[in-house]
Amino acid sequence: MPDTELLFLQPDHIQTLQQRYERAMAVHGYDSLLISSGAAPMRYGDDQSWHFQGYGPFLHWTGLTGQEHSWLLIRPGQTPLLWLYQPVDFWHANPELPDEPWQQVMEVRFIQQREAPRMERAGKLAVIGDPAMLAHVPGDHNPEPLLADLDETRVHKTPYEIACLARANEIAVRGHQAAREAFLGGGSEFEISLAYQRATRQREAEAPYHSIIGLNEHAGTLHYQYYDTEAPATARSLLIDAGVRFRGYCSDITRTTSAGGEGRFAALIQGLEQLQRRLCEMVAPGVDYVAIHRKTHEGIAALLNAAGVVSGLDDEALVEQGVTRAFFPHGIGHFLGIQVHDVAGKREPAPADAPFLRLTRTLEPGMVVTIEPGLYIIPSLLDSVLDGPLGRHVNRSVLDELRGCGGIRIEDNVVVTADGARNLTREAGG
Ligand code: GLY
Ligand code: MN
Ligand code: MN
């Protein structure tokens, strides 16, 4: 979608939020709602701050990730009033504010002070944001029942949000292609991260989460957080889980690549890719997301049997006895939006057989989810299987061969539509 078309969707998005917020405020009896953008906290005992990204509800309305100490006032029937902190400061620059259509439906004022502006005739006021910012602000701070309903306003994405998420996918896919080339060219984890940043034109601090870039065994640590600056003597596999933010909206994509000569691992990647595509095809209105998670375990069991990693136990037994959980310990995915693990995913707690599942809802049009099956060789999880009564079913020589490749994850971002789904990652060429 061209930039101009995308930008012209934003005023409609803001009108939709106005309606959703007015309903939530009426239910909870509030006349006004003030949202703090937040500010980067200082590192303890230091004069340096953490990188700032912004508070979810503020980003939901504005997409302005760089605006610290700013405030947004919502009142029924009135234009949203946005106070942007733009101090005269010779140490730092203020974020630029290009002239865009959303400014026609919000009143923007610039302020020099960090404190919340004085509000006339606010009536019963709720104030939401990082409590550290709210010390001297009047009103009810972060009332839980209201917050829960405001989270719910983020579940069904507007056309503007879906356009932003699609763009975040297009940019990230370019980064993943560059990362793959850097890996096949012999790059280290650090060099692969540079290739990703260069292709996405995004500083790592601005990404929705710290990129996970693991070569070989490192691919088996789910949120591996370091970058070796030297490439290993033999690079066998790359797992990269990395996204970008576009106007506040996140992509969250994972790809796994094997080096040449890794026949067994390459076949497992291919098998998991086929499973992942089938799971993406399950995404549709009315589908219980937990059922997609459970289907993943069945698919992992079939893969483990087909690849000869286990033998003598049928697929059903592998799931029932918890063997698949040792290879696939996380959930199949989560909501995605202004936060990478977007809010309101669990009206019901995760079931006992899926303790790390972040989304337990029935899918509805407008929801955006990730589908991210994985298959890993994680010694701390597999040791208890190997040492237990089921250990004799595991083919240790196959496991040892795979161990040095760490693991596989394949992750796409999928929108639930009225009659099925749109896979934003594959649409972008990922
Ligand atoms: N990148 C974190 C996740 O996939 O949930
Ligand atoms: Mn991810
Ligand atoms: Mn994810």
Side-chain angles (χ1 to χ4, degrees), residues 191-418:
E191 286 159 342
I192 293 167
S193 114
L194 292 181
Y196 182 83
Q197 289 179 63
R198 189 176 299 117
T200 54
R201 297 171 175 269
Q202 175 194 249
R203 287 162 73 158
E204 188 138 82
E206 284 156 8
Y209 55 94
H210 192 293
S211 300
I212 299 159
I213 299 177
L215 294 177
N216 297 356
E217 289 90 345
H218 293 164
T221 299
L222 300 182
H223 286 174
Y224 176 71
Q225 72 274 45
Y226 302 115
Y227 295 150
D228 279 357
T229 51
E230 298 297 323
T234 306
R236 300 179 60 191
S237 62
L238 163 69
L239 186 154
I240 170 166
D241 181 343
V244 303
R245 266 191 196 276
F246 176 77
R247 298 178 75 83
Y249 287 88
C250 307
S251 49
D252 177 12
I253 300 172
T254 310
R255 291 292 181 263
T256 309
T257 307
S258 64
E262 294 293 342
R264 195 186 295 273
F265 188 67
L268 264 184
I269 295 179
Q270 204 179 14
L272 195 78
E273 165 105 20
Q274 284 166 1
L275 171 62
Q276 196 264 0
R277 284 179 184 263
R278 287 202 304 277
L279 297 170
C280 288
E281 281 165 15
M282 286 179 72
V283 174
V287 171
D288 177 7
Y289 192 75
V290 178
I292 304 180
H293 177 83
R294 296 213 168 105
K295 201 72 175 170
T296 311
H297 278 275
E298 291 173 22
I300 298 283
L303 263 179
L304 292 173
N305 264 322
V309 179
V310 295
S311 54
L313 272 180
D314 63 24
D315 296 353
E316 208 172 312
L318 283 176
V319 176
E320 268 171 19
Q321 309 275 334
V323 177
T324 52
R325 267 178 64 186
F327 287 94
F328 169 53
H330 58 77
I332 187 57
H334 47 85
F335 276 154
L336 181 72
I338 209 85
Q339 287 165 220
V340 62
H341 299 151
D342 216 6
V343 292
K346 282 206 274 193
R347 281 203 292 221
E348 305 293 328
D353 62 341
F356 301 117
L357 192 57
R358 290 187 166 100
L359 172 55
T360 56
R361 296 177 61 155
T362 298
L363 298 178
E364 296 165 11
M367 291 177 168
V368 178
V369 301
T370 66
I371 296 291
E372 47 181 304
L375 198 168
Y376 313 88
I377 313 299
I378 303 175
S380 60
L381 298 180
L382 287 175
D383 284 353
S384 56
V385 177
L386 291 170
D387 296 344
L390 302 174
R392 65 196 169 83
H393 295 287
V394 179
N395 187 331
R396 288 160 204 252
S397 65
V398 173
L399 208 58
D400 287 341
E401 184 189 328
L402 295 172
R403 201 181 291 277
C405 293
I408 308 168
R409 180 162 63 254
I410 300 171
E411 176 175 24
D412 289 349
N413 304 164
V414 183
V415 186
V416 186
T417 60

Side-chain angles (χ1 to χ4, degrees), residues 6-23 35 57-64 72-82 100-108 153 156-161 164 247 249 338:
L6 184 146
L7 293 179
F8 275 105
L9 291 174
Q10 194 172 7
D12 290 342
H13 164 73
I14 292 169
Q15 304 292 9
T16 302
L17 291 198
Q18 179 77 28
Q19 289 161 14
R20 292 179 185 175
Y21 267 57
E22 285 187 8
R23 268 199 300 277
I35 306 172
F58 185 87
L59 299 184
H60 195 203
W61 281 86
T62 68
L64 300 174
L72 177 65
L73 182 64
I74 309 299
R75 293 156 298 178
Q78 297 193 49
T79 304
L81 176 52
L82 176 62
E100 293 180 348
W102 66 267
Q103 288 153 25
Q104 306 301 317
V105 295
M106 264 195 209
E107 182 181 343
V108 180
T153 69
H156 302 91
K157 269 61 179 180
T158 62
Y160 168 73
E161 294 182 284
C164 289
R247 298 178 75 83
Y249 287 88
I338 209 85

